[in-house]
Amino acid sequence: MTDADRPERAPGADRDVAVVGGGPAGCSAGVFLARAGLDVAIFDRGRSSLKRCAHLENYPGFPAGIDIETLYDLLHDHAETAGCDVVADLVESVDRADRGEGFVVTPQEGDPIDARRVVAATRYGGEYLRGLDDEAAMFETHEHAGERHESFDGAYADRDGTTPVDGLYVASPSEAADTQTVMAAGRGARVARRVVADARIDDGWWEDVADGVDWVRREAELDDEWTDRETWVEWFDDYRAEDAPVDPGSDRYERVRAAAIDDARSSYVGPAEIESRAAAGHEALARHLDADAIVDAVDETALLAAMDDEVVREYVDADADRPEVGE
């Protein structure tokens, strides 16, 4: 999504979305929101229930499991790379803005911010939302390991995270199964898609068009016909015009059609871009791995072959310039 296609914020809003909770649900939501062009702040209070785990062994993509600190760092790195600001602060309160639209999010240490929408992604404790709605409907209290905890009532939010409070969404685990990390991440993504759709609807889109997807596909999947923008225009008019709430040919219809087509076409990339993204992905992952583990895991011959002469020279030159201990 380009800046021109970005949904407009409510007047005075600092952020499009404030996500409260920097665990799997919150970071997953943040990635989908930011990739759709929304301005997102994730408040991480540092007490994600994920950190109570000793080791995570059922998250796809990590055959031998993954230690919690590394996964947590990867989640935050992914959110920041997508465009989110991860704020290391505890949210003390979320209140309705004086203008009647949006919210004022007040952290413990930083300055309050205005946000058009708020996604609650904390497992325990929703005290920061008190006063926004009927507390008996929002929360439930239960015991765990001899301690009493308060969490969101599983029936308070719909499956897509929407709540009776306009602009407030809940991505917190709503069922016992949701406490699994991979399920929490999936819930965050599902809620984020609803938020993106609502932001687009506020900007003039309609439901069938606003409910998009987030993927990257190969240009090779497009035949010659679909490389022509006019084919996309004809397809949109054939399949979207009938349910449009405005007349085809109106300024609003043409603006939404152009933005939706741009969004769809931008998801297709060529071989060079695929290779570039793959390399960037490997590099980003490697930054979070222990260097000794990489050396132990990779065949020595392959490792040396990967270090071409230029890389070796750069390393040797840097080492030569490094001062000796005690200098």
Side-chain angles (χ1 to χ4, degrees), residues 219-228 231:
E219 277 183 349
E221 294 184 11
L222 298 175
D223 57 28
D224 292 341
E225 181 183 13
W226 285 95
T227 59
D228 184 358
T231 301

Side-chain angles (χ1 to χ4, degrees), residues 21 30 49 59 84-85 116 143 159 164 191 215 224-225 231 235 240 275 287-288 296 310 323:
S49 56
Y59 201 95
C84 301
D85 285 332
R116 172 63 186 89
E143 288 193 7
R159 185 174 183 272
V191 172
W215 56 28
D224 292 341
E225 181 183 13
T231 301
W235 174 87
R240 301 302 190 205
E275 184 176 348
R287 285 198 298 267
H288 293 271
D296 291 340
E310 183 177 350

Side-chain angles (χ1 to χ4, degrees), residues 159-245:
R159 185 174 183 272
D160 61 4
T162 54
T163 71
V165 179
D166 180 41
L168 174 65
Y169 303 79
V170 174
S172 304
S174 58
E175 301 174 358
D178 284 347
T179 57
Q180 297 295 301
T181 299
V182 66
M183 294 181 181
R187 179 168 174 80
R190 182 169 62 244
V191 172
R193 284 191 60 187
R194 180 67 259 168
V195 177
V196 170
D198 287 347
R200 289 173 170 175
I201 289 170
D202 281 355
D203 197 39
W205 296 43
W206 50 96
E207 186 70 41
D208 287 347
V209 183
D211 187 23
V213 294
D214 182 4
W215 56 28
V216 180
R217 308 185 77 165
R218 291 178 172 84
E219 277 183 349
E221 294 184 11
L222 298 175
D223 57 28
D224 292 341
E225 181 183 13
W226 285 95
T227 59
D228 184 358
R229 185 181 181 85
E230 273 306 307
T231 301
W232 291 85
V233 172
E234 292 172 6
W235 174 87
F236 190 95
D237 290 343
D238 287 343
Y239 289 93
R240 301 302 190 205
E242 184 177 350
D243 296 324

Side-chain angles (χ1 to χ4, degrees), residues 8-10 12-19 38-43 83-87 99 102-103 105 113-118:
E8 292 185 5
R9 301 181 200 168
D14 294 320
R15 301 282 183 168
D16 294 315
V17 187
V19 178
L38 297 174
D39 191 347
V40 183
I42 299 175
F43 289 89
C84 301
D85 285 332
V86 178
V87 183
R99 61 179 180 272
F103 304 89
V105 180
I113 68 164
D114 283 1
R116 172 63 186 89
R117 292 175 170 84
V118 169

Side-chain angles (χ1 to χ4, degrees), residues 44-105:
D44 175 41
R45 61 182 183 170
R47 299 206 302 267
S48 170
S49 56
L50 173 64
K51 289 192 172 182
R52 300 177 66 177
C53 298
H55 194 74
L56 190 62
E57 297 182 313
N58 56 7
Y59 201 95
F62 300 101
I66 183 73
D67 65 281
I68 302 307
E69 289 301 324
T70 299
L71 180 64
Y72 210 73
D73 289 345
L74 284 167
L75 290 173
H76 285 192
D77 191 2
H78 195 171
E80 291 175 334
T81 300
C84 301
D85 285 332
V86 178
V87 183
D89 207 345
L90 171 71
V91 171
E92 290 195 328
S93 66
V94 174
D95 303 290
R96 271 296 186 190
D98 291 339
R99 61 179 180 272
E101 184 180 40
F103 304 89
V104 177
V105 180

Side-chain angles (χ1 to χ4, degrees), residues 124-156:
Y124 297 115
E127 61 275 0
Y128 56 92
L129 296 175
R130 292 191 182 281
L132 290 179
D133 201 359
D134 176 40
E135 294 178 11
M138 294 179 77
F139 307 117
E140 61 182 359
T141 303
H142 55 89
E143 288 193 7
H144 178 73
E147 298 180 2
R148 291 180 65 82
H149 295 278
E150 184 180 72
S151 60
F152 287 101
D153 190 304
Y156 179 67

